[in-house]
Amino acid sequence: MFSNFPMSPPSASNFAAEYDFIFYVLLALTLAFTALVGVLVIYFSAKYRKGTKVDRSRPIYEHLKLELTWTIIPLLLGLVMFFFGARLFIKMRTPPKDATDVYVIGKQWMWHIQHSNGIRENNSLHVAMGKPVKLTCISQDVLHAFYIPAFRQQIHVVPGRYTTMWFTPTQVGTYHLFCGMYCGTQHSEMGGTVVVMEPREFAEWEANGGQSSAPMSMSQSGAKLFSAKGCNNCHGAEDTMRAPSLVGLMGTTRRFSNASPAKVDESYLRESILRPHQKLTSGYEETMPIYEGQLTEEEIINLIAYMKVLGSGVPIPATSNVNRASVPNDSAHANGKDPLTTNALQAERGEMDTTPTIRTHNPSVNAIAAEEKTHK
């Protein structure tokens, strides 16, 4: 009878069962104490209402045992629930080291998702069942919230700061993805899907690049941009008078002439790209150009991915891994369109009016319409 009216979303992640347990216990305790207090209020209101014949000659102003009872029992219950809630919170904020990195960029009104191997998705996220996934999120404009009810996970997506969440999918299927924070007039349309696949099926999807041809990896895109922006003119394999080396930089501690020492992580690298003079490496002057306002969040993420593998021994294949000469001369070419530009970023650059944040012709284009137009 109630199959069409479920009490909760599907449970499709490693956190869902524990989250639901805490929720329903808190709900039961709330209902129980509300009912207890309500019944007692009604009982005493009826018993001692004006005109009733009861003994009022010896009113009780204190009762130690009763006061200890209604203090200690709720306190213990609260501490027990705090323990389970804190334990779950710590689990949700501590991703395993073998988690797959996926990057999420929120923008009015779309989700741009990029896998570390270069696969890009628009308003959708494909993951493998049973394998932990770590999402690193940032907003390109206003405050958003990446919310997957079936996974019992939500994280604020904030401009200028990376936030992370992780989960392990436990059930194959397609689940709703929402923006859980009002972000503008088309907030309700900023949604999508999370597709959980069998590991073998996901491996095939991944091997196919998630599209008709394999794209460049994030580190490859970063290497190409690193060269295009002329970063390699100053930052070489070793420190020089012009600039320090970036080889093996990730995870080290840097000393600055105008700030306290800091550990090199993604946030520091982002700040150094956009505002390099805010923390000036000891021994160097303010010679690096300021890139704030000149790079998109996606370009910054790719540059960081490249910097992370410098000196790590991880080989970076040639950036021209897509052989355009091998693409068949089909109808797409006949119409003057390149069939390789099938992912979200390329579609955005190819047709500016299909992305809501850069539309110039049709102001009514939204995330859903853009996605449909991109895939036609």
Side-chain angles (χ1 to χ4, degrees):
M1 177 180 178
F2 296 99
S3 59
N4 294 327
F5 301 96
M7 294 295 294
S8 64
S11 298
S13 80
N14 57 318
F15 298 122
E18 191 171 353
Y19 181 98
D20 287 347
F21 169 77
I22 295 174
F23 173 81
Y24 286 117
V25 170
L26 286 174
L27 178 62
L29 290 173
T30 301
L31 293 176
F33 278 100
T34 301
L36 176 62
V37 172
V39 168
L40 291 175
V41 167
I42 295 172
Y43 170 75
F44 288 119
S45 297
K47 182 177 180 179
Y48 292 102
R49 74 185 186 277
K50 185 177 180 180
T52 56
K53 294 181 179 180
V54 290
D55 183 10
R56 295 184 174 87
S57 62
R58 293 176 299 171
I60 300 175
Y61 294 100
E62 61 181 42
H63 193 296
L64 182 59
K65 291 183 179 179
L66 181 61
E67 291 172 359
L68 289 176
T69 299
W70 70 36
T71 300
I72 294 176
I73 292 179
L75 174 63
L76 293 177
L77 290 173
L79 290 176
V80 169
M81 296 313 301
F82 174 81
F83 167 77
F84 284 108
R87 186 178 68 171
L88 179 60
F89 178 84
I90 293 171
K91 286 182 182 178
M92 286 182 164
R93 293 296 180 268
T94 312
K97 293 183 179 180
D98 61 342
T100 302
D101 282 314
V102 177
Y103 293 85
V104 177
I105 299 175
K107 56 192 298 186
Q108 293 175 312
W109 288 271
M110 276 185 167
W111 294 112
H112 286 312
I113 296 170
Q114 185 165 332
H115 300 252
S116 56
N117 60 3
I119 296 177
R120 297 183 177 98
E121 300 188 72
N122 185 26
N123 294 327
S124 65
L125 170 62
H126 287 72
V127 293
M129 184 183 73
K131 295 187 177 180
V133 178
K134 175 188 173 185
L135 303 182
T136 300
C137 310
I138 196 166
S139 171
Q140 189 167 299
D141 36 51
V142 300
L143 186 65
H144 301 283
F146 196 83
Y147 178 36
I148 312 172
F151 294 173
R152 309 299 191 270
Q153 277 280 29
Q154 175 174 269
I155 192 71
H156 284 179
V157 182
V158 184
R161 181 164 67 91
Y162 294 119
T163 55
T164 61
M165 63 180 272
W166 79 278
F167 52 81
T168 300
T170 58
Q171 185 175 327
V172 172
T174 301
Y175 306 99
H176 292 296
L177 163 64
F178 298 101
C179 176
M181 183 69 63
Y182 181 74
C183 56
T185 56
Q186 292 173 254
H187 158 72
S188 62
E189 297 176 6
M190 187 172 174
T193 56
V194 178
V195 181
V196 180
M197 310 167 75
E198 293 285 357
R200 196 167 99 178
E201 184 183 1
F202 178 79
E204 293 175 358
W205 176 87
E206 195 174 37
N208 198 33
Q211 52 188 3
S212 59
S213 59
M216 290 187 292
S217 69
M218 291 180 64
S219 56
Q220 287 175 305
S221 297
K224 184 177 180 179
L225 184 61
F226 192 84
S227 176
K229 294 294 183 181
C231 306
N232 53 356
N233 291 335
C234 297
H235 297 285
E238 298 178 354
D239 293 345
T240 64
M241 294 181 63
R242 300 181 65 182
S245 173
L246 304 179
V247 176
L249 180 63
M250 194 67 179
T252 62
T253 299
R254 281 237 157 166
R255 299 187 178 278
F256 309 102
S257 58
N258 59 349
S260 302
K263 185 177 180 180
V264 177
D265 55 13
E266 286 90 345
S267 296
Y268 165 75
L269 292 176
R270 181 179 184 276
E271 180 185 62
S272 297
I273 294 170
L274 299 180
R275 299 175 292 276
H277 306 157
Q278 193 157 324
K279 291 181 180 178
L280 199 62
T281 302
S282 297
Y284 293 93
E285 303 294 331
E286 297 181 1
T287 56
M288 179 174 166
I290 297 174
Y291 286 97
E292 189 167 22
Q294 301 183 43
L295 297 173
T296 66
E297 291 295 346
E298 191 151 9
E299 289 174 327
I300 296 170
I301 287 175
N302 288 337
L303 282 172
I304 292 175
Y306 174 60
M307 295 178 191
K308 287 170 68 174
V309 300
L310 281 174
S312 65
V314 178
I316 304 175
T319 57
S320 58
N321 67 325
V322 178
N323 185 3
R324 293 179 176 268
S326 64
V327 178
N329 186 15
D330 55 14
S331 58
H333 280 282
N335 294 331
K337 295 182 179 180
D338 190 342
L340 294 177
T341 58
T342 57
N343 58 57
L345 181 63
Q346 291 168 324
E348 175 185 343
R349 292 172 178 169
E351 299 181 62
M352 295 185 66
D353 63 333
T354 62
T355 301
T357 51
I358 319 179
R359 53 182 180 266
T360 55
H361 302 94
N362 183 7
S364 64
V365 172
N366 55 51
I368 298 174
E371 183 177 12
E372 291 174 352
K373 187 173 181 181
T374 302
H375 287 87
K376 284 185 179 179

